[in-house]
Amino acid sequence: RAKVPVFALDLDGHVTGWNQTLEVLTGLTLPQVQGRKFTDIVSVENREGVDKAVKATIIAAHEEVSNAHAVESNSGTTGLAQGSSALIEIGIPVVAPAGASAGGPAVRHLAVSLVPKSTSEG
């Protein structure tokens, strides 16, 4: 189990992965967030910045995939060029478990690094 929060988004910014650490930190489970736009999950004041960062990361991912294909066709090997990432601060509203008091923080603030990841499918 990863001790750091990890989530994955598709190229449209929808959640496709959400680890147990995020479940513990936010009270939200993968079935609750899967398929939702990530910007709809973060707190309202973070949505514009998160949307810009996600879009920039998606553009970087497309560029890295294009560069990897160029490297592959020129050298016969595969791999991504030097990775780029965006570090942003986000707030995710915390959902208290049923029967628990709401004494904890209403929003969990996290520093998030958005890193494009390519699959073998591109």
Side-chain angles (χ1 to χ4, degrees), residues 30-42:
L30 176 59
Q32 290 174 304
V33 297
Q34 192 166 21
R36 290 177 57 190
K37 290 278 282 183
F38 185 64
T39 52
D40 292 342
I41 296 168
V42 301

Side-chain angles (χ1 to χ4, degrees), residues 14-78:
H14 294 97
V15 176
T16 60
W18 191 265
N19 75 351
Q20 289 179 341
T21 301
L22 270 170
E23 289 183 9
V24 170
L25 290 172
T26 65
L28 296 167
T29 63
L30 176 59
Q32 290 174 304
V33 297
Q34 192 166 21
R36 290 177 57 190
K37 290 278 282 183
F38 185 64
T39 52
D40 292 342
I41 296 168
V42 301
S43 57
V44 174
E45 61 270 7
N46 295 130
R47 288 184 181 164
E48 184 178 340
V50 168
D51 187 52
K52 288 178 183 177
V54 168
K55 286 178 181 175
T57 303
I58 290 168
I59 290 168
H62 282 295
E63 290 173 356
E64 288 194 19
V65 168
S66 295
N67 290 341
H69 289 302
V71 168
E72 180 179 331
S73 63
N74 290 334
S75 68
T77 61
T78 60

Side-chain angles (χ1 to χ4, degrees), residues 98-121:
S101 69
V107 174
R108 178 76 64 182
H109 292 274
L110 305 168
V112 177
S113 181
L114 300 175
V115 180
K117 180 181 181 254
S118 167
T119 65
S120 59
E121 291 84 35

